[in-house]
């Protein structure tokens, strides 16, 4: 018989049979209470996962929540670097991610050995890394940032500071423009955001000339230069909630539309089209979408797969994340 450990090693996730006649969502709720577990979910999760989450947020909000939770188990419905960040901040908790295969193309664009060689070639720089990176990269960085606070973090450094910004070159270029600083950029990108199609977007804008274009800063320059507003997922959500406009084209992962539609059902929200033909013809992160209610249920039953970070790396990474959290209060 296949053991739970075998499943984790072979599949990267665990399975569990739902007892006959039981409701999946109710069982997840029951297990959460029984085990004092909390479910943290990113806005890019499937709607049914957002609906059972105790907290939904962008990367900054999720790390703040992970740092302060008093639950015994954190189930992180997001991607691997998010689970790692939760473990770094709150090592006494069991941190579970429903599928260990849920990585991130942006985090993968900065392998630790190549990054170390890059830093060795550029001494004297302050290293600011976007939270979408591995624990090893965080440990080599001076400060972490997210898309909510990147401009503020860069601006917290002296004007003459030499800064390396990694791993997202698109966010880096945007922050350089906003702060008027020269940043040495690592050449990484998010495969989901760079797949948004400028040509299809132009056609869409032609059909909806009254729509405001709002975009995540991980998008490429040609989309950002056209945007009426640029911000993190939470900032985009707040924008549609608070601005008086009726129609928006949303250039980011389409998962955010769930909360937007709930918040402003009377407004028209159009996902920006992707180059690739995804099922939604919009933009979906294949890693975020590896999480399902079934995997969350099984992970709560078995309390697996867990995320671990070696203690020497954790302590170094904690310093750079804590610096960000202190600057974000
Ligand atoms: P935020 O959560 O900061 O908006 O970033 C989006 C993202 O790509 C997460 O992987
Ligand atoms: Fe990574 Fe992009 Fe997916 Fe976010 S949307 S998890 S940056 S691949």
């Amino acid at each position: 018989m296949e053991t739970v450990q075998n499943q984790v090693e072979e599949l990267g996730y665990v399975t569990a049979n739902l007892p006959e006649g039981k409701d999946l969502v109710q069982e997840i709720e029951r297990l959460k209470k029984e085990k004092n577990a909390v479910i943290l979910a990113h806005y890019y999760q499937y709607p049914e996962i957002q609906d059972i989450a105790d907290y939904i947020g962008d990367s900054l909000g999720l790390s703040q929540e992970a740092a302060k939770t008093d639950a015994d188990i954190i189930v992180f419905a997001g991607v691997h670097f998010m689970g790692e960040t939760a473990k770094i901040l709150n090592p006494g908790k069991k941190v579970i991610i429903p599928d260990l295969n849920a990585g991130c193309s942006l985090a993968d664009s900065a392998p630790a050995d190549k990054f170390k060689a890059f830093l060795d070639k550029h001494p004297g720089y302050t290293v600011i890394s976007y939270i979408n990176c591995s624990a090893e990269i965080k440990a080599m960085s001076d400060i972490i940032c997210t898309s909510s606070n990147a401009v503020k973090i860069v601006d917290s450094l002296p004007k003459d500071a030499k800064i390396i910004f990694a791993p997202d070159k698109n966010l880096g270029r945007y922050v350089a423009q906003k702060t008027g600083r020269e940043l040495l950029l690592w050449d990484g990108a998010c495969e989901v955001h760079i797949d948004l199609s400028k040509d299809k977007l132009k056609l869409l804008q032609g059909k909806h000339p009254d729509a405001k274009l709002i975009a995540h800063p991980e998008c490429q320059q040609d989309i950002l230069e056209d945007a009426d507003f640029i911000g993190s997922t939470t900032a985009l959500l707040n924008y549609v909630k608070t601005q008086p406009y009726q129609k928006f084209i949303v250039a980011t992962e389409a998962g955010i539309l769930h909360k937007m539609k709930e918040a402003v059902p009377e407004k028209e929200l159009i996902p920006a089209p992707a180059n690739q033909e995804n099922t939604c013809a919009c933009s979906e992160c294949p890693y975020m979408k590896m999480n399902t209610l079934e995997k969350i249920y099984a992970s709560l039953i078995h309390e697996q797969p867990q995320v671990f970070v070696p203690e020497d790396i954790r302590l170094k990474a904690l310093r750079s994340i804590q610096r960000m959290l202190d600057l974000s209060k």
Side-chain angles (χ1 to χ4, degrees), residues 40-69:
L40 308 184
H42 191 270
Y43 285 118
Y44 296 166
Q45 292 299 294
Y46 284 122
E48 61 271 25
I49 293 181
Q50 295 190 37
D51 291 346
I52 52 140
D54 298 285
Y55 178 85
I56 310 164
D58 66 1
S59 305
L60 178 62
L62 287 164
S63 55
Q64 287 166 328
E65 205 59 29
K68 69 177 189 213
T69 185

Side-chain angles (χ1 to χ4, degrees), residues 104-154:
C104 165
S105 61
L106 184 50
D108 289 348
S109 69
D113 55 340
K114 294 210 171 73
F115 195 65
K116 163 122 188 16
F118 180 73
L119 298 191
D120 288 347
K121 253 207 304 258
H122 298 98
Y125 279 77
T126 301
V127 182
I128 302 183
S129 293
Y130 189 34
I131 199 162
N132 298 38
C133 63
S134 66
E136 286 91 340
I137 301 297
K138 289 183 175 79
M140 285 186 242
S141 305
D142 297 298
I143 320 183
I144 299 305
C145 71
T146 75
S147 55
S148 312
N149 58 23
V151 169
K152 188 173 169 184
I153 300 280
V154 168

Side-chain angles (χ1 to χ4, degrees), residues 42 44 79 81-82 103-107 130 132 190-193 218 253 285-288:
H42 191 270
Y44 296 166
V79 291
F81 75 79
M82 296 180 171
C104 165
S105 61
L106 184 50
Y130 189 34
N132 298 38
C190 158
E191 69 180 36
V192 179
H193 285 87
E218 287 173 23
E253 214 271 2
C285 172
Y287 312 103
M288 289 278 184

Side-chain angles (χ1 to χ4, degrees), residues 81-235:
F81 75 79
M82 296 180 171
E84 270 188 346
T85 305
K87 189 69 182 176
I88 291 164
L89 284 164
N90 217 334
K93 310 294 179 192
K94 236 180 217 180
V95 177
I96 289 168
I97 60 169
D99 189 336
L100 282 177
N101 303 303
C104 165
S105 61
L106 184 50
D108 289 348
S109 69
D113 55 340
K114 294 210 171 73
F115 195 65
K116 163 122 188 16
F118 180 73
L119 298 191
D120 288 347
K121 253 207 304 258
H122 298 98
Y125 279 77
T126 301
V127 182
I128 302 183
S129 293
Y130 189 34
I131 199 162
N132 298 38
C133 63
S134 66
E136 286 91 340
I137 301 297
K138 289 183 175 79
M140 285 186 242
S141 305
D142 297 298
I143 320 183
I144 299 305
C145 71
T146 75
S147 55
S148 312
N149 58 23
V151 169
K152 188 173 169 184
I153 300 280
V154 168
D155 265 340
S156 74
L157 295 181
K159 274 277 170 224
D160 58 351
K162 296 201 296 178
I163 302 172
I164 285 176
F165 190 95
D168 189 6
K169 64 179 171 191
N170 291 305
L171 176 65
R173 192 188 316 101
Y174 166 70
V175 173
Q177 284 161 3
K178 283 290 269 188
T179 58
R181 300 199 188 210
E182 205 179 302
L183 304 177
L184 182 56
L185 303 180
W186 177 264
D187 187 13
C190 158
E191 69 180 36
V192 179
H193 285 87
I194 64 168
D195 188 48
L196 290 169
S197 161
K198 176 73 177 179
D199 292 343
K200 290 186 187 174
L201 180 61
K202 277 264 150 246
L203 289 174
L204 195 63
Q205 286 177 303
K207 281 191 209 152
H208 303 279
D210 51 337
K212 294 284 168 197
L213 174 63
I214 61 174
H216 195 280
E218 287 173 23
C219 294
Q220 302 202 73
Q221 166 89 358
D222 60 354
I223 291 192
L224 294 184
E225 67 196 10
D226 235 22
D228 297 293
F229 179 73
I230 297 168
S232 75
T233 37
T234 299

Side-chain angles (χ1 to χ4, degrees), residues 230-291:
I230 297 168
S232 75
T233 37
T234 299
L236 298 178
L237 176 60
N238 287 338
Y239 188 82
V240 301
K241 278 195 209 167
T242 55
Q243 296 303 304
Y245 315 112
Q246 276 309 305
K247 208 188 254 194
F248 301 88
I249 297 175
V250 183
T252 188
E253 214 271 2
I256 186 65
L257 271 88
H258 178 56
K259 282 286 148 200
M260 286 182 176
K261 282 178 190 158
E262 255 180 35
V264 288
E266 74 288 3
K267 297 192 179 182
E268 193 173 344
L269 302 159
I270 309 165
N275 273 309
Q276 307 226 352
E277 293 303 332
N278 299 323
T279 44
C280 63
C282 56
S283 187
E284 282 193 326
C285 172
Y287 312 103
M288 289 278 184
K289 265 45 184 190
M290 283 179 183
N291 297 322

